[in-house]
Amino acid sequence: MPVERALGPVMVDVAGLALDAHERELLAHPLVGGVILFARNYAAPAQLEALTAAIHALRDPPLLIAVDHEGGRVQRFVEGFTRLPPMRALGRLYDREPALASNLAGAIGVVLAAELRARGVDFSFAPVLDIDFGASSVIGDRAFHATAAGVTALARGLVAGLARMGMGAVGKHFPGHGYVRADSHLEVPVDERDLATIMANDLVPYQALVGHGLAGVMPAHVVYPRVDAQPAGFSRVWLADILRGRLGFDGIVFSDDLSMEGASVAGGIVERGRAALDAGCDMVLVCNARAAAERLLDGIGPRALDPGRAARMRTGAGSPADHRAAAAQVQEAIGAGLIA
């Protein structure tokens, strides 16, 4: 029988294609609230479905299961799934035929959500809402467009498609990772722009989507020193004052991976977790670092994830007919070279 517990605020990973005994014990920890999957956790659709069913069966309410499944170079599950183009392909089409591009963004959202939900994955960390200023290679073609208007229009379509299939959207990397060259996986990026400039550009998609399907937000491990000395994911200015206060966001704030170098300014893993949660994150991620995840669970103290916010990440299931129609539309567009 599942263990009756509230969900905790820590998302961890698992090693392989099925759970081992130690992982079952780890996922039963009261401070665990979710699992993030990677390509190593996938061999075939049926295997993925068995893995997610086993994870969900451990707890009541079930743990949240997430993946980075954006399309292009960030798509963890390929064989047996529709191969989605990078979101920049939609941006190129948007420059020629904006209405068609927005419509296809919605179809991609339907396909992405339907295929993941059918195999037991609750949500993807998508869409990327960063604007491509031509500086960041780690963002690059993951961004929809080089303008706030283009990102907003296409993201609105994708988010609506996800919602049709019962999946909450997670916008990233708040307030914006597209202006800096440094990769926050490897170093601590610094963005010297002022708040007014960021509000007028990077925050436009967030302003448009808050209250219109955005169930989660992931802040960047980027420092904006003219706004706050702390990286956005450790900053009450960014998370409490701006995201919650000015923008009125009331969904889940997920930290980016606390194992990344961009998080190192906060100290060791326990200090990073506490700093992120104290700043306003609801759930913190620790990826590819099992010993660090266990230290975090032992050290952060009692906390819980808001159940109402968690529920928005999985809101039901959409129509199989909608999925079939959207999949045909996407495949036709790819075959015609519209979004290759």
Side-chain angles (χ1 to χ4, degrees):
M1 292 293 292
V3 178
E4 294 276 353
R5 288 196 179 112
L7 296 181
V10 179
M11 180 171 278
V12 298
D13 56 11
V14 294
L17 303 177
L19 299 179
D20 62 27
H22 180 69
E23 288 169 339
R24 289 176 180 275
E25 182 180 353
L26 176 70
L27 299 185
H29 193 291
L31 293 180
V32 171
V35 177
I36 181 169
L37 300 179
F38 291 91
R40 66 173 182 267
N41 303 121
Y42 182 72
Q47 168 271 324
L48 177 62
E49 191 170 350
L51 174 61
T52 58
I55 293 169
H56 280 150
L58 292 172
R59 301 276 288 272
D60 186 14
L63 294 167
L64 294 171
I65 302 177
V67 67
D68 285 313
H69 199 85
E70 305 168 7
R73 57 194 161 100
V74 183
Q75 180 169 334
R76 306 303 188 205
F77 313 141
V78 177
E79 191 68 31
F81 282 75
T82 299
R83 191 69 172 94
L84 299 173
M87 293 301 100
R88 175 59 53 75
L90 288 168
R92 289 191 292 268
L93 180 62
Y94 178 85
D95 288 334
R96 306 190 306 272
E97 299 185 60
L100 176 59
S102 296
N103 184 266
L104 281 171
I108 287 174
V110 167
V111 171
L112 188 161
E115 292 182 353
L116 290 178
R117 292 301 307 275
R119 303 304 175 183
V121 179
D122 295 309
F123 65 95
S124 171
F125 287 112
V128 170
L129 298 182
D130 301 315
I131 298 170
D132 180 21
F133 291 96
S136 175
S137 61
V138 73
I139 301 302
D141 65 1
R142 297 166 65 193
F144 286 106
H145 204 262
T147 69
V151 172
T152 300
L154 296 170
R156 184 182 283 122
L158 189 87
V159 168
L162 297 176
R164 281 178 64 190
M165 305 311 287
M167 179 176 285
V170 181
K172 62 185 185 184
H173 305 83
F174 176 85
H177 200 310
Y179 192 78
V180 292
R181 291 192 179 279
D183 179 352
S184 55
H185 294 85
L186 306 174
E187 50 190 312
V188 183
V190 178
D191 187 333
E192 297 284 358
R193 294 176 299 162
D194 61 23
L195 179 58
T197 300
I198 296 169
M199 290 285 294
N201 293 280
D202 307 64
L203 291 188
V204 171
Y206 292 93
Q207 290 172 314
L209 289 170
V210 166
H212 295 88
L214 196 63
V217 164
M218 176 177 282
H221 288 319
V222 176
V223 180
Y224 308 84
R226 296 181 67 180
V227 181
D228 190 27
Q230 297 299 317
F234 301 124
S235 167
R236 287 197 63 79
V237 174
W238 280 114
L239 301 185
D241 299 346
I242 298 173
L243 180 60
R244 298 271 190 217
R246 290 200 193 192
L247 301 187
F249 178 69
D250 192 36
I252 294 184
V253 178
F254 296 91
S255 83
D256 207 343
D257 180 10
L258 295 182
S259 301
M260 291 164 56
E261 184 60 27
S264 64
V265 296
I269 193 63
V270 175
E271 289 75 24
R272 297 179 196 190
R274 287 175 177 167
L277 293 167
D278 290 344
C281 289
D282 299 285
M283 178 169 276
V284 296
L285 278 68
V286 184
C287 305
N288 305 308
R290 176 64 56 79
E294 292 176 350
R295 289 198 304 274
L296 178 63
L297 292 171
D298 288 341
I300 59 170
R303 300 171 188 258
L305 181 63
D306 183 302
R309 289 175 177 167
R312 295 175 207 172
M313 302 314 303
R314 47 188 177 206
T315 59
S319 160
D322 285 348
H323 174 220
R324 288 192 295 271
Q329 184 181 0
V330 171
Q331 294 288 11
E332 181 180 353
I334 292 172
L338 293 175
I339 51 172

